[in-house]
Amino acid sequence: MATPPLILGNWKMNLNRKKTGDLAVGLKNSLHDLGSGVTVAVAPSMPYLDAVGKLIEGSPIKLAAQNIFWEPRGAYTGEVSGPMLLELGCSYAIIGHSERRIYLHETDQIVRKKVRHAMDSGITPVLCVGETFEQRQQGNKDVVIMKQIQEALTGIVPSEKAKIMIAYEPVWAIGTGQACDPKEARETTEVIRSALVDLYQQHIADENFIMMYGGSVDESNVSSYVDNESICGVIVGGASSVLEKFLGIIFAVA
Ligand code: PGA
């Protein structure tokens, strides 16, 4: 069965409690008639997940975490586990975002453990991959992405009920206003698909992974990415923290 496109707002560390709550309420009030053609999820900062979960209760909006740890419990100061996120009502966890790879030195091995733990916890992983500007300039884009996919997914088997979302997020396109050409984004999802075919039987690669794009998505360009075939969703950073802009994106897809 075709999955509706996912529009995932990543609020990063941009909004304080008041702004987070106002945005959640604004979305809830605007999206009660959303219908089933699109799925909207928001990823607030960790301390506000519980509050946002309560504010969007009864609405079609889903909750996502910006991060997840890889063990269910234990002495891991500052970390948050899958079961904890599940308790708060999270459906998705963003894993391997380039900001975490860069600033927190998350490796592909860490990313893999997180993907596995999310799946074990019943949370859909949104695995982010993408090349830096330098890697692209050096002609290494495809190699970088294939390696990220292989290392993050080896030994992990999704299913019809537990799919994995993969977001192509070129690092140079994030927060720069310089979105990737949609044709190139689509071609890159083909590169990702070919990496998946190295790891899985064709039908698993085809059916149990959903491709997304992220990087300077806005109201004017979102429709050029989401075609429900090669790209079935977007991660929206900057534009998702302004109510009117985020709604514009959602309605452009819905
Ligand atoms: P951006 O961020 O929309 O601000 O470019 C996207 C992301 O970080 O996923």
Side-chain angles (χ1 to χ4, degrees):
M1 211 177 67
T3 318
L6 171 64
I7 302 184
L8 172 50
N10 176 7
W11 296 348
K12 307 196 179 187
M13 205 177 70
N14 284 325
L15 304 173
N16 63 17
R17 180 159 67 173
K18 164 106 176 52
K19 286 183 178 158
T20 299
D22 288 351
L23 185 53
V25 170
L27 285 170
K28 179 177 178 174
N29 291 341
S30 312
L31 295 178
H32 39 78
D33 294 329
L34 188 61
S36 57
V38 63
T39 303
V40 174
V42 294
S45 298
M46 286 284 184
Y48 311 136
L49 271 174
D50 197 19
V52 169
K54 290 189 178 113
L55 289 172
I56 61 177
E57 230 164 49
S59 85
I61 305 165
K62 301 219 183 307
L63 197 61
Q66 296 179 18
N67 182 32
I68 185 171
F69 191 58
W70 63 75
E71 292 289 342
R73 70 191 68 76
Y76 303 103
T77 301
E79 294 300 331
V80 178
S81 74
M84 291 170 177
L85 295 174
L86 203 64
E87 238 179 345
L88 300 180
C90 280
S91 305
Y92 304 92
I94 300 173
I95 300 177
H97 192 283
S98 59
E99 287 151 14
R100 296 197 59 86
R101 293 181 191 257
I102 293 166
Y103 303 120
L104 283 302
H105 307 292
E106 276 191 10
T107 62
D108 289 322
Q109 288 67 35
I110 290 176
V111 169
R112 176 166 65 219
K113 290 200 274 184
K114 291 185 171 192
V115 170
R116 184 188 300 280
H117 177 65
M119 297 193 61
D120 289 347
S121 309
I123 289 177
T124 303
V126 182
L127 165 63
C128 301
V129 297
E131 82 288 2
T132 63
F133 182 72
E134 292 72 28
Q135 289 165 333
R136 177 188 182 76
Q137 290 295 92
Q138 290 156 3
N140 292 333
K141 182 185 96 174
D142 292 1
V143 178
V144 166
I145 287 169
M146 290 184 85
K147 181 172 171 286
Q148 286 175 339
I149 292 290
Q150 271 153 5
E151 297 198 353
L153 293 175
T154 297
I156 290 171
V157 185
S159 66
E160 176 64 33
K161 284 215 175 80
K163 297 190 179 182
I164 296 178
M165 328 273 310
I166 300 181
Y168 170 50
E169 295 215 314
V171 179
W172 49 269
I174 295 178
T176 58
Q178 242 197 334
C180 180
D181 176 59
K183 183 166 168 286
E184 192 190 331
R186 248 179 278 290
E187 284 164 4
T188 309
T189 64
E190 291 309 313
V191 173
I192 295 172
R193 291 242 173 242
S194 65
L196 294 177
V197 172
D198 288 343
L199 291 172
Y200 302 99
Q201 291 176 321
Q202 184 82 48
H203 74 99
I204 293 182
D206 288 347
E207 291 160 20
N208 298 338
F209 290 91
I210 296 167
M211 301 295 148
M212 301 172 73
Y213 167 77
S216 296
V217 171
D218 62 26
E219 193 179 344
S220 68
N221 64 21
V222 66
S223 310
S224 61
Y225 296 105
V226 180
D227 58 11
N228 294 341
E229 282 183 26
S230 38
I231 300 180
C232 201
V234 284
I235 302 187
V236 186
S240 74
S241 49
V242 181
L243 179 63
E244 294 69 29
K245 289 187 184 175
F246 196 34
L247 288 175
I249 291 169
I250 293 164
F251 292 134
V253 174

